[in-house]
Amino acid sequence: MSVTAAKGFTAAGIAAGIKDNGNPDLALVVNDGPRRAAAGVFTSNRVKAAPVLWSEQVMKSGQVSAVVLNSGGANACTGPKGFQDTHATAEKVAEVLGRGAIEVAVCSTGLIGVLLPMDKLLPGIQTAADRLSEHGGEKAAIAIKTTDTVHKTAVVSKDGWTVGGMAKGAGMLAPGLATMLVVITTDADLDSGVLDKALRSATHVTFDRVDSDGCMSTNDTVLLLSSGASGITPAYEEFAEAVRAVCDDLGQQLIRDAEGASKDIKVEVINAASEADAVEVGRSIARNNLLKCAIHGEDPNWGRVLSAIGTTSAAFEPDRLNVAINGVWVCKNGSVGEDRELVDMRYREVHIVADLAAGSETATIWTNDLTADYVHENSAYSS
Amino acid sequence: MSVTAAKGFTAAGIAAGIKDNGNPDLALVVNDGPRRAAAGVFTSNRVKAAPVLWSEQVMKSGQVSAVVLNSGGANACTGPKGFQDTHATAEKVAEVLGRGAIEVAVCSTGLIGVLLPMDKLLPGIQTAADRLSEHGGEKAAIAIKTTDTVHKTAVVSKDGWTVGGMAKGAGMLAPGLATMLVVITTDADLDSGVLDKALRSATHVTFDRVDSDGCMSTNDTVLLLSSGASGITPAYEEFAEAVRAVCDDLGQQLIRDAEGASKDIKVEVINAASEADAVEVGRSIARNNLLKCAIHGEDPNWGRVLSAIGTTSAAFEPDRLNVAINGVWVCKNGSVGEDRELVDMRYREVHIVADLAAGSETATIWTNDLTADYVHENSAYSS
């Protein structure tokens, strides 16, 4: 049900001809109100795509009537012309919907450094608007795919109100957001300040902790829109938990569809002196290419975990570190622990626990193994 | 000629049986004086192998009579027993050479988390000592190989004095030292303070800027030993330049032999506001897996260069960035530049120039492409 699970939203997904192969490449999500509150979180990459620069401005008012998303081109590193194209895209959506352009968020994904084919994109917007439907969420989710093998949606329904969303992303997944376009909608009746708070606290522990390949995108965008159509204003904690659940679900789907991956790796750092230490250590482990290769080879090579921990500034003593892989404590007190032969790595999910023995804080980072298929997908063609 | 090019040194390389396959695995380098001055630079990884912890202590006196190096086991993450084994190794060398153990540096390389077979290593030291020779440098260089496909040596000879060295390393190459064991010798008559200064300034711009896979070893060691046997004390600048040349030559050999690599990538950052900015940007580009895959596929994907620059804290304006790949300015002012079809990427060396347009400082980082062969080498067996 995706972005149309919540009341007050319509959506569409069509093939506008932006992609050469004729696959769906344009999605439109419209908030029919009565509220049009919104919040957004964007890439922390300092090289931001034109649609990110635009949507950041849109979000300042906390009001969004529509989101237009295209795959088949990132419109990043495209200079003033690229920004004009984003602006023209928002203007066209505003025109066909009868709204102001400053209430239209724009998202793009695809190859960096190529201008969008506006002669196809602009007519496509009219086509998408003509097909807007309360059942259009699935098609919208399909239209934003790039190298994704499956489309990703999630829904949490509570007493009379709903949070639902869609996501795309399968590579360039990294913190400070994993590569992704995400649109989440709700019919809970909440203002943009509450949406912003709930969204930031959710992304902080979900998308920000998905790190497939350490590469941060120029286009990452996560939007949360409220129509208020349920007429219900849930308690903040309950709403925040629902948003977190949807983000967590979508984040897990991103990891499971990561390019070329054969293993999903849960890196859990425990007994850290601070949450920041736990995250730093988790990321360092998650980004270690040698470890990621070892996991691919089903080799419980804990030495590579320790060498990754050793590059961080976190509080720990090397001779107090413990590491478990799939439940076997292969490293105890910084040295050889239980027999590595006991580690069963035949399944897709691999669980690494790094015990810093320095406090009581914890954090979990999700990543993937590094495979020849990843190399192939990212060397055989531009993306 | 390796470590025996300079006068006053003998060396040997033998098969002690540490490696199961019977290949050479033990090297001994002896300084016969008259001087026995030395300096060392070690991994900045906080998880340090036992031989690193030992050799750091040895180096405090600035006196080294001998270096013993083994491949086939890193003796890292091996706890108190591992440190005892390193100590016993130094004691054995001291015994057979008639010196003090505290003048014996120890280096190990191989799998982390496995104790060394001391029953083979200790008798091997006697064998190596029996074979010490002024022509043993080559054999020593061969004995320290792990996944190296070739042994690495370099020599610079000046007016009556010489700097020569050997290196091993083919994976886990990263800054703050690339994975490596390096022993450099000279017959120039210099004290340990001068050696230390020359060695640190050389490694700072050579080994520290070799970043094959972003993974930092627990065992990296670079030693510089002076016998003073030439009786000549060169001017500091001349000596430092010779040490830098040997380090640069060995660093290049490490990159060219990196595991699974098909391209050597020179990342040159220019017009940075500071050298630190230039290094940070260079490293970020050199560590971007997506870019490294693109280079493997001979795809001049400059968008991945920009997205890597965008993750740094360096001073720059996104719309003033320029990027050249093999001489073609594919990105100008943060946007599309010259035609990417003009970029010829058929050759092994690839040259990326990132112009930050923010100052006048520069730095060069060397890296490799990311290949299916790298994945295979690092997933198919433990190392």
Side-chain angles (χ1 to χ4, degrees), chain A residues 246-257:
Chain A
V246 167
C247 289
D248 193 44
D249 188 340
L250 292 173
Q252 293 295 316
Q253 293 182 54
L254 293 175
I255 276 289
R256 286 199 292 276
D257 195 29

Side-chain angles (χ1 to χ4, degrees), chain A residues 45-46 77-79 113 172 289-290 293 297 299 304 306-307 310 312 314 316 318 334-336 340 374-375 378-379 382-383, chain B residues 45-47 77-79 113 172 289-290 293 297 299 304 306-307 310 312 314 316 318 334-336 340 374 378-379 382-383:
Chain A
N45 199 307
R46 290 168 61 201
C77 306
T78 45
M172 222 194 232
N289 278 352
L290 287 172
C293 287
D299 169 15
R304 294 176 182 180
L306 258 67
S307 69
T312 71
F316 69 84
S335 184
V336 186
R340 49 192 283 159
Y374 174 88
V375 174
N378 289 296
S379 62
S382 287
S383 64
Chain B
N45 199 308
R46 291 168 60 201
V47 176
C77 306
T78 43
M172 222 194 231
N289 278 352
L290 287 173
C293 287
D299 170 14
R304 294 176 180 178
L306 257 68
S307 68
T312 70
F316 69 84
S335 183
V336 188
R340 51 193 278 156
Y374 174 89
N378 288 295
S379 63
S382 287
S383 63

Side-chain angles (χ1 to χ4, degrees), chain B residues 149-207:
Chain B
T149 63
V150 294
H151 63 284
K152 289 112 180 166
T153 65
V155 174
V156 169
S157 287
K158 295 287 190 174
D159 293 344
W161 57 276
T162 293
V163 177
M166 66 179 183
K168 71 76 48 180
M172 222 194 231
L173 287 176
L177 299 178
T179 279
M180 60 183 64
L181 300 180
V182 180
V183 180
I184 301 167
T185 59
T186 183
D187 46 22
D189 194 16
L190 298 163
D191 65 29
S192 61
V194 173
L195 298 181
D196 189 68
K197 183 178 173 192
L199 182 62
R200 286 182 193 278
S201 74
T203 57
H204 179 63
V205 294
T206 56
F207 296 124

